[in-house]
Amino acid sequence: MQTTISKASSAMVSLPCSRGRSGLCVWPGMRQLCFRKGLMYGFMQLLSVPLKSLRGAASRSLGVSQFCSVTKISASLQIELVPCLRDNYAYLLHDVDTGTVGVVDPSEALPVIDALSKKNRNLTYILNTHHHHDHTGGNAELKARYGAKVIGSGMDRDRIPGIDIVLNDGDKWMFAGHEVHVMGTPGHTKGHISFYFPGSGSIFTGDTLFSLSCGKLFEGTPDQMQSSLTKIMSLPDDTEVYFGHEYTLSNAKFALSIEPENEALQSYAARVAHLRSKGVPTVPTTLLLEKACNPFLRTFSTEIRQSLNISASASEAEALGVIRQAKDTF
């Protein structure tokens, strides 16, 4: 199983090949950036591998080509990243065996339509993690154009445009031959759900879990967010996390401000800064890396608690609430 980042334009990433177990590799002459399966198991080694050059015009505020895609190939499931709006990520899911195609959180229709057209594909399903417009804005146009079925949380049945299939926490659903576990992950919104594909070791967390952060608590409570993050953390450490926004660089600055002695975080933050300076997405991350670096998964950290004057006797949910308030005003 491998992950590739490819550009549909003439721009390309140029790197020397590294054959290490967790090394970053781009073969000369190929428009791909390959991450070995063991990427995050060896992330400390990975962080030290230099990125030499990136050529081509950037698109929007993401700093990547509009149709730059991150593709994970696992058995017959492919995952492609589609940048949308200012900093959103939508994800195309393609089952090679059946041709079934889905999209997770289409902020807008045009980038998704263009990505599908380039590969002459239809769209079968639209999966929404929550009701916010920057995750559902493309629903109506995509549904009208392709006849795709819209899937979302039962709690958001009145807030997700065009919803056809209602799923709730604990439900299992089949995307072609791939079992999908629906996880209720409230906090950012009351009806937020995440889609976990155990066969490919991937989870789509929307605005619940980002790399080095979690979503703002617009509708939920710290207790709900803590419970949601704990549920996600119960998955295998090598689970790859596909999140909804490219916030990692700013998240890293905040994380370092409250846990500056965390060496794993220092190394990852440096790597993130380098990737973003070259316009390379920071998705996917893994639970292993996030457990080592993400302050919202490290509410137990003595350094974080001391930095924010959180009592040692405060619960993890209480600590999360303080961390979230600090992040909101950072």
Side-chain angles (χ1 to χ4, degrees):
M1 180 160 45
Q2 67 178 11
T3 303
T4 67
I5 299 180
S6 62
K7 282 185 178 274
S9 68
S10 60
M12 64 180 289
V13 176
S14 175
L15 287 172
C17 180
S18 170
R19 296 180 180 273
R21 178 174 180 270
S22 60
L24 187 88
C25 169
V26 172
W27 298 102
M30 293 182 66
R31 299 174 186 177
Q32 296 181 338
L33 179 64
C34 304
F35 292 87
R36 301 295 176 102
K37 172 60 180 174
L39 170 65
M40 295 305 180
Y41 283 118
F43 75 91
M44 292 302 294
Q45 293 174 308
L46 169 64
L47 301 177
S48 67
V49 179
L51 181 65
K52 289 182 65 178
S53 65
L54 179 75
R55 296 191 281 279
S59 170
R60 305 184 179 182
S61 299
L62 282 168
V64 293
S65 170
Q66 182 174 357
F67 303 113
C68 173
S69 64
V70 176
T71 306
K72 174 178 179 178
I73 303 172
S74 174
S76 63
L77 182 66
Q78 297 176 337
I79 302 171
E80 300 182 22
L81 179 152
V82 181
C84 297
L85 301 178
R86 180 173 177 269
D87 52 33
N88 280 75
Y89 287 147
Y91 299 96
L92 283 176
L93 313 178
H94 175 231
D95 178 68
V96 177
D97 294 335
T98 65
T100 302
V101 177
V103 63
V104 180
D105 287 349
S107 309
E108 53 183 335
L110 183 58
V112 176
I113 292 170
D114 286 342
L116 291 168
S117 297
K118 287 179 183 296
K119 297 184 179 179
N120 194 30
R121 290 175 180 166
N122 201 349
L123 183 65
T124 315
Y125 297 110
I126 299 168
L127 291 75
N128 294 135
T129 59
H130 62 294
H131 71 88
H132 284 164
H133 184 72
D134 64 328
H135 291 255
T136 64
N139 281 19
E141 186 175 347
L142 292 172
K143 181 175 181 177
R145 184 183 182 97
Y146 298 103
K149 298 293 185 183
V150 177
I151 298 168
S153 166
M155 291 186 68
D156 283 341
R157 67 171 71 240
D158 296 325
R159 303 196 289 179
I160 291 180
I163 192 167
D164 298 295
I165 300 172
V166 169
L167 297 174
N168 296 294
D169 180 47
D171 286 347
K172 294 181 181 179
W173 176 72
M174 296 300 295
F175 175 80
H178 307 275
E179 187 174 77
V180 182
H181 295 188
V182 179
M183 301 173 64
T185 51
H188 181 65
T189 65
K190 292 180 180 179
H192 199 295
I193 57 177
S194 296
F195 299 101
Y196 173 51
F197 289 69
S200 63
S202 305
I203 186 169
F204 298 87
T205 57
D207 286 358
T208 292
L209 177 62
F210 300 119
S211 185
L212 300 181
S213 190
C214 72
K216 290 185 177 181
L217 304 180
F218 287 122
E219 299 176 9
T221 66
D223 287 279
Q224 287 178 316
M225 181 60 80
Q226 178 64 39
S227 177
S228 295
L229 295 177
T230 298
K231 185 183 298 185
I232 293 171
M233 283 194 293
S234 71
L235 300 176
D237 280 348
D238 63 348
T239 299
E240 294 186 335
V241 180
Y242 293 83
F243 44 85
H245 293 268
E246 184 55 74
Y247 292 158
T248 313
L249 183 60
S250 61
N251 292 343
K253 294 175 182 178
F254 171 73
L256 282 170
S257 75
I258 62 172
E259 198 176 20
E261 300 304 316
N262 183 332
E263 294 184 358
L265 174 59
Q266 293 170 12
S267 296
Y268 181 50
R271 181 64 184 159
V272 166
H274 195 72
L275 289 173
R276 294 308 299 143
S277 73
K278 302 301 181 181
V280 179
T282 59
V283 65
T285 183
T286 68
L287 290 182
L288 179 67
L289 187 150
E290 296 305 312
K291 289 177 181 179
C293 301
N294 190 327
F296 292 92
L297 305 186
R298 298 178 56 76
T299 52
F300 57 84
S301 165
T302 299
E303 184 179 10
I304 291 176
R305 289 186 175 228
Q306 290 177 345
S307 294
L308 296 176
N309 296 316
I310 302 171
S311 169
S313 62
S315 69
E316 293 195 359
E318 290 171 334
L320 184 146
V322 175
I323 297 169
R324 185 64 258 177
Q325 289 178 348
K327 178 68 166 65
D328 290 344
T329 58
F330 181 72

